[in-house]
Structures are given as C-alpha cells and as structure tokens.
Amino acid sequence: MSDAVRFDDKVVIVTGAGGGLGRAHALLFARHGAKVVVNDLGGSTHGEGANASAADRVVAEIREAGGTAVANHDSVTDGEKIVQCALDQFGRVDVVVNNAGILRDKTFHKMEDTDWELVYKVHVEGAYKVTRAAWPHLREQGYGRVIFTSSTSGIYGNFGQSNYGMAKLGLYGLTRTLAIEGRKNNILVNAIAPTGGTRMTEGLIPPQVFEQLKPELVSPLVVYLGSEQCQETSGLFEVGGGWVGKVRWERSLGVGFDPREGFSPDDVAANWQRICDFEGAAHPADNVEALKEMMANLQKYTL
Ligand SMILES: NC(=O)c1ccc[n+]([C@@H]2O[C@H](COP(=O)([O-])OP(=O)(O)OC[C@H]3O[C@@H](n4cnc5c(N)ncnc54)[C@H](O)[C@@H]3O)[C@@H](O)[C@H]2O)c1
C-alpha cells in the first residue's frame, strides 16, 4: 500500500452520482484512479420521474478527464442491478458510496403515507439493497469500504423532516451494525452527514453561503473513507464548507436506584438534574461499554 490515496484496480459504486454531492464524489474517485459506476435514476428532488442524461453527463466528464466510468440508470431500490453492472463492466466491487436521496418535506401532521414511504424506500431500502448485493463480494475478497450518507437532520432533528430524519439516522444505525459484522472481513463502514450547495438545498441556504458550500468540499472525506489508508470504522462525520468533524454518542453517568426496591416517578423527578448531568460523561463505543453503568448498579445492590 502506497502512502498516497489511490484506487488503481479498485471499483467504486457511487449512487445518485448524476449531480450534487454524488457527482463530486464520482469525479474525485475517478481522479484518484478508481473505476467508477456512476449510478443515477435522474428523477426530481421529490423522487418523481427518471432521466438517463444525469449519469451519462458525469460519465462523459470523467472520461474527458482521462478516467474510467460507466453509467447505470437503475433505482437504488434495485440495488442488485447496480452491483451487477459493476461486476459485468469491471469484474468486481470494492467501495459502495450510498448517496442517492430525495426530499418530501412536510410537518408531521401533514405527512402522508406516500411521503413517508418514498423517503424510506430511497434512503433506507435503497442503501440496504445496494449494500446487501455488494456484501457477499466484499466478504469473499476480504476487502471493502462502505459509506452511508446520513444528515444533521437525522442527528439533531429538523422541522418538517420527520420522514427524512428517521431515514438518515436509521442509516447510522445500519452503519454501526455493519461495522461490527464487517470488521473480520476487512469491510469498514462509516457514515457522513454532509452540507453542500446542491439542488436539494437550493433556496434553503442563503445564496452567498450556498455558493461557498461546494459539493467538492465534501468529497475528499468520502474518498478517504473509501480508501485502503482508512482504518476507521463505525464513524459518523459532519462535513461541509471545507470543515470535517467526528460525532460520537455521549451519555451521562446517570443515577442508580436499588433494583430490589424499584423506584417511583417521584424518584425520577427528584433526581432529574443528576440523570441529565453530563459532568464526567461516558462515551460508550459498543454495547458492552454501554451496559457498564447498569451492570455496576446491579452489582452494587444484588450481586
Ligand atoms: N446537500 C446537503 O446539504 C445534504 C445534507 C445532508 C444530507 N444530504 C444527502 O446527501 C445525498 C446527496 O444529496 P445532494 O444534496 O447531492 O442532492 P441531489 O438531489 O443533487 O442528489 C441526489 C441524487 O440522487 C439521485 N436519486 C434520487 N433517487 C434515486 C434513486 N431511487 N436511485 C438512484 N438515484 C437516485 C437524484 O437523481 C440525484 O442526482 C442525499 O442522500 C442527501 O440526503 C445532503
């Protein structure tokens, strides 16, 4: 392995790469030597319609710059077709960047089943289908990198985005478990929560800021997470405008009651400040660490 991030002989799938962030990821992977499957259904931000030209244009751009890429126009909900395209065209798959996405913003009381379901289908089921189809190949070759695209709307919540927030944080739950299951086969799995000026955020971000939030300022992190150099797994990174930071869970040390006696709602009320006090907080890295304080409480009183 050389020091420089390179993808010679490596095959990368980027979903939703016909525009916005995905296009920037695909171009940067190709510039670093990857063979890229540029997937895009080419529909609207609301998830309506289809158009092959989006993916085709990005493939043309990559080829003009001397890179290698093929277009794929399937929906991510037909993930197996996208992976099959990588296998047919390039004989393998090494990196999956789950980036395709849509918005159906509505406040919860106006949310309709179709808005909820379509957002779930594209973001969660789509990312599942593509990754599930690639997984046996990554396992078999003992190498893989998978990147999911989460969002600050999932991590922190955002008005009018209950469907989108559910899907985006769901993808981080998927990231955490796939990181555990993939580790022994050298499949590393991470998630990003990007901010970029794209058609998805046009009109939502003030124009001067929008201009500066170039999609190209997200892709270097994605390409690093897709590389052999990257040994990180299970991570969640906020990225945008030339800035990158890592997110982690933080949990208060909490309050232990005597489990033999139980405790009342009034006990909860009386201890609320301590339950919510983050002084000396824990940062559990896994389930076992997460259960430490609870087990210590059991031990203190009963074991
Ligand atoms: N732009 C931001 O600030 C921001 C913030 C948080 C998360 N994200 C996420 O980043 C990702 C990229 O978004 P973007 O801002 O570049 O938006 P975008 O609309 O420019 O790009 C999304 C792409 O996904 C494609 N797509 C949609 N449904 C598809 C399907 N079923 N199959 C295949 N392709 C499909 C679209 O055609 C489009 O080209 C999305 O997952 C989005 O939710 C973006």
Side-chain angles (χ1 to χ4, degrees):
M1 185 175 72
S2 78
D3 289 346
V5 170
R6 290 291 303 169
F7 292 86
D8 304 308
D9 305 321
K10 293 239 167 7
V11 176
V12 179
I13 293 172
V14 184
T15 69
L21 301 178
R23 170 183 166 272
H25 304 339
L27 288 168
L28 194 61
F29 272 113
R31 207 176 309 149
H32 286 260
K35 299 183 175 79
V36 185
V37 176
V38 176
N39 157 265
D40 206 296
L41 181 63
S44 71
T45 304
H46 278 73
E48 284 145 357
N51 187 342
S53 67
D56 292 349
R57 268 199 308 271
V58 175
V59 168
E61 271 187 90
I62 290 174
R63 289 182 181 162
E64 271 161 35
T68 307
V70 291
N72 170 277
H73 310 113
D74 289 306
S75 169
V76 283
T77 52
D78 291 321
E80 63 289 347
K81 293 187 186 166
I82 302 171
V83 172
Q84 194 56 50
C85 171
L87 299 175
D88 291 345
Q89 298 292 324
F90 299 130
R92 57 186 291 127
V93 55
D94 299 283
V95 181
V96 176
V97 181
N98 291 294
N99 167 80
I102 58 161
L103 285 182
R104 308 277 286 206
D105 290 0
K106 264 180 198 164
T107 50
F108 193 56
H109 74 284
K110 291 185 185 150
M111 183 68 60
E112 291 179 25
D113 290 352
T114 47
D115 302 315
W116 181 266
E117 280 158 13
L118 200 56
V119 163
Y120 163 79
K121 265 191 155 330
V122 174
H123 291 274
V124 183
E125 193 179 303
Y128 160 71
K129 290 277 193 176
V130 179
T131 309
R132 180 65 187 86
W135 200 252
H137 303 281
L138 306 182
R139 274 172 57 91
E140 204 170 304
Q141 71 202 13
Y143 183 84
R145 300 286 184 267
V146 180
I147 295 116
F148 290 100
T149 307
S150 183
S151 168
T152 52
S153 298
I155 303 169
Y156 306 110
N158 198 24
F159 191 90
Q161 293 198 313
S162 55
N163 50 357
Y164 183 75
M166 165 279 299
K168 288 310 209 183
L169 200 56
L171 290 174
Y172 183 52
L174 181 58
T175 299
R176 298 291 303 235
T177 288
L178 293 192
I180 293 168
E181 294 187 11
R183 203 188 295 260
K184 70 173 188 300
N185 293 108
N186 192 20
I187 307 170
L188 307 186
V189 187
N190 290 286
I192 64 158
T195 302
T198 67
R199 68 175 192 174
M200 195 179 262
T201 50
E202 206 168 3
L204 305 175
I205 300 176
Q208 320 86 283
V209 183
F210 181 89
E211 282 305 313
Q212 289 171 38
L213 289 172
K214 298 194 186 324
E216 292 74 20
L217 295 172
V218 172
S219 305
L221 171 67
V222 174
V223 171
Y224 171 73
L225 293 174
S227 74
E228 235 175 308
Q229 276 80 357
C230 172
Q231 291 304 307
E232 182 80 27
T233 195
S234 200
L236 172 60
F237 302 88
E238 289 178 27
V239 53
W243 174 88
V244 185
K246 185 172 181 180
V247 182
R248 66 176 173 180
W249 297 121
E250 181 172 70
R251 206 211 37 230
S252 72
L253 293 180
V255 172
F257 301 100
D258 184 341
R260 294 164 304 181
E261 315 263 315
F263 61 104
S264 69
D266 288 334
D267 292 329
V268 174
N271 284 280
W272 194 246
Q273 238 180 339
R274 278 179 60 216
I275 290 170
C276 299
D277 182 0
F278 280 95
E279 182 75 33
H283 303 98
D286 55 34
N287 251 331
V288 176
E289 277 186 28
L291 291 172
K292 231 167 73 184
E293 271 81 21
M294 189 187 294
M295 294 313 289
N297 190 55
L298 278 183
Q299 211 151 25
K300 179 172 163 191
Y301 291 104
T302 59
L303 300 174

